[in-house]
Amino acid sequence: MQPFTTHTGNVAPLDRANVDTDQIIPKQFLKRIERTGFGQFLFFDWRFLPDGSADPAFELNQPIRQGASILLARRNFGCGSSREHAPWALDDYGFRAVIAPTFADIFFNNCFQNGMLPVKLDEADVDELFRRAAAAEAAGHPYRLTVDLRACEVRDDAGFTRSFAVDPFRRHCLLEGLDNIGLSLKHVDAIAAWEDAHGLGPLQGGAPPQGGAIG
Amino acid sequence: MAPPATGGYIAGSGARFPAHGGRRSTPKPSVIPAMPAPRTLLDKIWDDHLVCSPDGEQPLIYIDRHLVHEVTSAQAFEGLRVAGRRVRRPEATFATPDHNIPTTDRRLPIADPISKQQIDTLRSNCREFDVRLFDLGDADQGIVHVIGPELGITQPGMTIVCGDSHTATHGALGALAFGIGTSEVEHVLATQTLRQSKPKSFEVRVEGELHPGVTAKDLVLYLIGRLTTEGGTGYVIEYTGPCIRRLGMEERMTVCNMSIEAGARAGMIAPDQITFDYLRGRDLVPKDFDRAVAQWATLPSDPGARYDRSETFSGGDVVPQVTWGTNPAQVVGVDATVPDPASMADPSDRSSASRALEYMGLESGTPIAAIPIDRVFIGSCTNSRIEDLRAAASVVRGHTVSSRVRAMVVPGSGRVKRQAEAEGLDRVFTAAGFEWREAGCSMCLGMNPDTLAPGERCASTSNRNFEGRQGKGGRTHLVSPAMAAAAAVAGHFTDIRQWHYH
Ligand code: SF4
C-alpha cells in the first residue's frame, strides 16, 4: 500500500452533503475486475453530459480545480454501497485526501486500505475551509492545503491550522504503508488457538462439494 | 453462572462442527465473576469472537461466515493469488453471482461480454480456491442476502461479513453481520478474521404494534426518516421492543437490511422462538439443532445491559411511507405532500432537499398520492422473499396493471421463485400484466439490462433512491411491496389502507 505522510495540494470544494458511493462511481463501471483505471469514471453521471462532454456546471470541472488532490465535502461523505471502487476512483483521479465533517463507516475504512486519508473536521472548520477556498478562487488562484498525518494537522499558509483525530493503529499503518494482511498473519497462532478452542479442528485441505443442491 | 456460550457453527463438506463443544465459555482465560455484568447481544457476540487485541493494534475478530458475490471479490482473489495466499476456511465461505446477471431466460448466453467476464472470474476463483458456489444454473442461486438465511448459512450468534453493505440483513437472525470493502474481503479470505474496533451499541426500541396495511418496510423507512442517513454511523443498532418481537422472520430481515441507510453498519434482532422456528430444517443448520437452540437462547441482551445510546419509537405512529427525495431519509407518509425545502431549519438539509426535488421533478406541496408513476419494481434483498410476493400478489389479484405502467417482479432466489410458482403467485402477477423474472438484484441497482430510462419514475421495493441508482436520470420512490403493487394498478401512489382487495 502507498504510504501517506504529509501532502500539500490544491483543494476541490464539493459543496454537497450525503455524497453516496453510487455517485462517486456509478454501477455501470463496477464490472471491471481490476483495481486501477477507475479515475476516468469518477462522479461520471455528474461530470459528463448525455453527449459525453464535460458538464461545465459540475464542481470538479471548473478549470481552476484541475489537478486538485484534496477533496472538500459536506457531511456523511461516502454513504451507501460498500464498493471499494469509490476510493479506487478518487485515488486514480488524483485525490490523496478527503476532508468532511463526517464520513460513512465503510467508505472511511476503505480509504485507509488504499493509502488515502479521510480527515474529519468540525462542521464550523469545514465551513471556514469552504469560505477560504471560495475567496482564493475568486482571487483567481486555487486554494492550497497541507494535510499532515505525522502532526495530525490540516493547515494553509494563511493562518488556518486545525488538528484532527485518527486511530493510532490506522495512522501507523498509513504512515508506513503497511500490508494489513501480512500484519494480521503475524497473529496466526492466536487465530489457530481461537479455532481450536471453538472446535473447528485443523484446516481442511480438501475441496467442498461444488454446485448442486445442498445435501 | 458462567457467561453463556454463543452459537456459531461451521458447516462444510456435510460435516458440522459445534462452535464450542461445550468445553469453554469465554474467550479470555479470566476468572469468572460471581455476578457477571449484564451484556448486550452485541457484547456477547463480540466477546466470543475476539481473537486477540494486541497492544497498539486494532483487535482481530473471528469471522464465522463469509459471503461472496461477483462485483466485490475479483480484486480480492487476485490479491491472494499475487501474494501466494490461500483461503483459510473455504468451508466457511459461500459465493453466488447476483448483482450483474440477467433476470431473463438463463439458458441464453450473457450478452454483455464484460459482465460475462466478471461472472466467469467468480467461477474460476471459486474453483481455484475451493469456495462453494451457487452458480447461475443452480437451484439455490439468488441474492446473497436472501440465500444466506434461506439455506441456514446465517445463524444466531455468528459473525458474518460480505463485500456488500446490505449484509446487515443477516442480523435479523441475531448475528453480527456487516458489509466490508474488497481489501477487507481479501483479509477475511486470507485470515478468517477482520481488524475491527468494537462498535458502539444503539438500542432502537419500538413499542406498540403496526396498524393493518403498515409493513416492516414502512417501519424501517419511518425510522430512517427520524434517525437521518447518518444517525447510526459508528453504531450497531439492536432493534428491540414489542413491535419488533411481533414481526415475522422475513419482516425482521427487511428492517435490519436497511440499517445501513441510517448509517449503521449492522442491525440486529435478538433470536427468539420465531427465529428458531424459521431455521429448523434448513439445509446448513447444525445437526444437533436442539442443542444449538439452547445455546442461541442465551444470546439476547441481559436485563439491565447498557447500550451506548437508546431511542424509543411507537409502531402505532407509522403510516405507509413513500420516499420523495434522493436518499432514504427523505421520506413521508402516503397521506402527506411533497415537503417544502424552505421549511427546513438546517441549511444542508435545505440544499439537499432542493437538489433532490429538482432531480426528482417534483413540486413542493404536491400530494404524494397524486404522483403518477411509469415503472414498478418488486424485488431486491429488502423485499423479494416469499411473504413480500404474497403481500404484493394479494393486492394485485383480480386487478390489472395500469396502461401507463411497466411492472416487474424479481424473486430474491431460485427457491423463492419456485415457492411462488407452487402457490400460483406468478400467474396472479402475469395475469395482471407484471413481468415475472429469474432471481437476482436486477433493477435494485441496474447493473444488468434492467434499468430505468432518464426521467422514468419508479415505485420500487428496494432500499436506495440515490440519483441514478436504477438507471441514469431514473427517479426512484421507495415503498413496501403492497404499496408498489397498488401503485402499479392505480398508475400513481395510493394509500394501501384503502385498497379494494378482491
Ligand atoms: S438487491 Fe440491491 S441492495 Fe441488495 S445486494 Fe443486490 S444490489 Fe445490493
Side-chain angles (χ1 to χ4, degrees):
Chain A
M1 186 178 77
Q2 58 177 338
F4 187 106
T5 50
T6 181
H7 174 81
T8 300
N10 293 352
V11 175
L14 181 65
D15 194 351
R16 306 187 190 211
N18 294 311
V19 173
D20 60 78
T21 54
D22 273 76
Q23 307 316 317
I24 298 173
I25 177 87
K27 70 307 197 90
Q28 62 268 36
F29 308 114
L30 306 185
K31 300 179 184 183
R32 298 159 58 94
I33 55 173
E34 299 85 24
R35 274 176 186 258
T36 52
F38 289 99
Q40 56 190 311
F41 310 123
L42 179 73
F43 293 120
F44 190 87
D45 289 353
W46 285 349
R47 226 165 110 197
F48 299 106
L49 293 167
D51 67 4
S53 63
D55 181 349
F58 179 55
E59 289 89 329
L60 295 195
N61 288 339
Q62 309 306 310
I64 203 164
R65 294 172 187 166
Q66 298 315 297
S69 56
I70 298 170
L71 187 63
L72 178 64
R74 298 289 182 181
R75 65 184 192 221
N76 201 27
F77 188 85
C79 59
S81 155
S82 63
R83 58 189 72 169
E84 198 164 316
H85 310 68
W88 294 339
L90 287 163
D91 177 65
D92 194 59
Y93 182 89
F95 287 114
R96 298 286 289 122
V98 186
I99 301 174
T102 55
F103 292 87
D105 285 336
I106 305 178
F107 175 84
F108 192 74
N109 274 336
N110 284 341
C111 286
F112 285 97
Q113 308 283 345
N114 291 280
M116 184 183 304
L117 182 62
V119 179
K120 280 186 216 173
L121 291 181
D122 283 352
E123 200 126 34
D125 293 332
V126 169
D127 269 343
E128 176 61 21
L129 289 178
F130 271 104
R131 267 195 299 277
R132 287 177 178 236
E137 291 181 355
H141 54 84
Y143 181 54
R144 282 178 83 71
L145 272 178
T146 295
V147 179
D148 184 342
L149 183 57
R150 285 190 204 287
C152 290
E153 203 173 84
V154 173
R155 55 181 179 266
D156 66 9
D157 52 14
F160 180 96
T161 304
R162 290 293 179 283
S163 53
F164 58 87
V166 56
D167 176 88
F169 175 64
R170 285 174 156 160
R171 173 171 173 272
H172 171 70
C173 291
L174 216 49
L175 284 173
E176 305 294 328
L178 294 179
D179 165 19
N180 287 306
I181 296 176
L183 212 59
S184 296
L185 284 174
K186 289 191 178 143
H187 303 299
V188 72
D189 289 347
I191 298 171
W194 191 97
E195 288 171 335
D196 184 46
H198 288 73
L200 293 185
L203 294 183
Q204 298 183 356
Q210 291 285 316
I214 293 176
Chain B
M1 196 188 85
T6 58
Y9 285 75
I10 295 290
S13 310
R16 276 126 220 181
F17 303 99
H20 294 274
R23 290 186 282 125
R24 52 175 285 296
S25 51
T26 176
K28 283 183 198 153
S30 56
V31 178
I32 296 161
M35 283 291 288
R39 296 186 298 164
T40 62
L41 171 59
L42 171 65
D43 293 335
K44 294 180 189 183
I45 299 179
W46 185 268
D47 292 349
D48 190 48
H49 289 82
L50 190 63
V51 170
C52 58
S53 195
D55 271 353
E57 295 185 25
Q58 274 184 305
L60 278 180
I61 60 164
Y62 201 81
I63 300 301
D64 292 317
R65 289 287 184 270
H66 189 186
L67 309 174
V68 171
H69 67 69
E70 75 277 27
V71 176
T72 55
S73 65
Q75 293 87 349
F77 283 113
E78 178 63 14
L80 290 187
R81 204 175 286 120
V82 167
R85 290 171 178 143
R86 45 171 299 188
V87 175
R88 183 173 177 87
R89 287 278 170 188
E91 72 275 20
T93 313
F94 298 85
T96 194
D98 54 3
H99 283 63
N100 192 9
I101 54 170
T103 53
T104 46
D105 192 341
R106 288 279 161 80
R107 290 163 302 187
L108 300 174
I110 297 171
D112 176 353
I114 309 175
S115 298
K116 181 170 185 309
Q117 187 198 19
Q118 193 169 54
I119 292 153
D120 286 343
T121 303
L122 180 69
R123 288 176 178 145
S124 62
N125 284 331
C126 288
R127 261 197 310 276
E128 181 181 344
F129 291 96
D130 290 341
V131 170
R132 182 162 192 170
L133 173 70
F134 300 97
D135 204 351
L136 272 191
D138 195 305
D140 294 326
Q141 177 270 340
I143 303 173
V144 63
H145 310 310
V146 175
I147 70 171
E150 187 174 79
L151 296 173
I153 294 171
T154 307
Q155 294 164 28
M158 284 184 163
T159 49
I160 302 175
V161 296
C162 173
D164 194 284
S165 60
H166 291 101
T167 309
T169 314
H170 307 264
L173 290 98
L176 174 60
F178 50 86
I180 56 178
T182 296
S183 297
E184 291 174 314
V185 169
E186 186 181 335
H187 189 284
V188 176
L189 288 172
T191 69
Q192 204 57 39
T193 65
L194 195 66
R195 287 271 180 199
Q196 190 74 16
S197 303
K198 188 176 176 185
K200 292 178 287 181
S201 58
F202 182 2
E203 178 188 28
V204 172
R205 184 174 175 83
V206 189
E207 303 285 359
E209 59 186 310
L210 300 175
H211 293 297
V214 180
T215 67
K217 180 64 164 292
D218 301 303
L219 172 61
V220 71
L221 283 171
Y222 171 88
L223 292 174
I224 295 163
R226 297 298 176 288
L227 297 173
T228 78
T229 51
E230 58 174 344
T233 302
Y235 292 97
V236 165
I237 294 178
E238 183 184 340
Y239 300 93
T240 67
C243 187
I244 299 295
R245 287 283 141 229
R246 284 194 183 92
L247 298 177
M249 203 59 244
E250 297 188 357
E251 296 175 299
R252 295 178 184 186
M253 291 183 214
T254 300
V255 171
C256 288
N257 172 275
M258 289 193 72
S259 303
I260 184 69
E261 312 319 330
R265 275 179 92 178
M268 58 205 318
I269 295 176
D272 59 11
Q273 198 56 44
I274 290 174
T275 320
F276 309 145
D277 290 346
Y278 172 89
L279 280 171
R280 189 178 290 276
R282 302 217 172 244
D283 303 73
L284 290 173
V285 296
K287 277 212 177 96
D288 190 348
F289 192 78
D290 290 327
R291 203 182 80 173
V293 166
Q295 286 192 337
W296 296 339
T298 66
L299 283 166
S301 297
D302 299 326
R306 292 185 63 90
Y307 297 88
D308 294 303
R309 182 178 159 199
S310 286
E311 283 194 40
T312 302
F313 300 88
S314 170
D317 290 347
V318 185
V319 302
Q321 303 283 301
V322 180
T323 63
W324 52 267
T326 53
N327 71 54
Q330 291 176 325
V331 65
V332 289
V334 64
D335 48 4
T337 57
V338 176
D340 181 0
S343 71
M344 299 177 183
D346 182 273
S348 162
D349 284 349
R350 217 179 300 136
S351 69
S352 286
S354 311
R355 204 189 291 277
L357 290 186
E358 190 186 327
Y359 179 85
M360 293 295 288
L362 291 174
E363 298 276 343
S364 317
T366 308
I368 294 292
I371 301 173
I373 56 156
D374 312 301
R375 304 282 298 268
V376 168
F377 172 66
I378 297 177
S380 89
C381 57
T382 313
N383 281 131
S384 64
R385 297 177 182 83
I386 190 66
E387 288 171 14
D388 299 314
L389 303 194
R390 285 180 192 142
S394 77
V395 170
V396 166
R397 189 170 280 120
H399 290 285
T400 308
V401 171
S402 160
S403 59
R404 57 165 292 131
V405 173
R406 185 179 158 205
M408 67 198 285
V409 182
V410 184
S413 70
R415 286 195 181 195
V416 171
K417 180 165 188 268
R418 287 195 301 282
Q419 175 69 28
E421 288 171 350
E423 295 177 20
L425 305 184
D426 59 320
R427 293 190 296 284
V428 173
F429 286 119
T430 52
F434 278 84
E435 295 170 37
W436 177 249
R437 296 295 189 88
E438 298 290 335
C441 294
S442 179
M443 208 161 73
C444 173
L445 91 166
M447 258 186 98
N448 74 350
D450 309 335
T451 54
L452 295 181
E456 273 189 329
R457 190 180 297 286
C458 181
S460 177
T461 67
S462 55
N463 43 48
R464 287 191 174 134
N465 50 347
F466 297 155
E467 286 184 31
R469 171 79 177 180
Q470 297 190 290
K472 184 168 179 170
R475 294 161 171 168
T476 302
H477 297 267
L478 303 177
V479 290
S480 73
M483 285 282 289
V489 170
H492 53 83
F493 293 108
T494 180
D495 191 338
I496 191 67
R497 293 171 299 179
Q498 273 120 50
W499 190 249
H500 177 63
Y501 286 90
H502 282 295

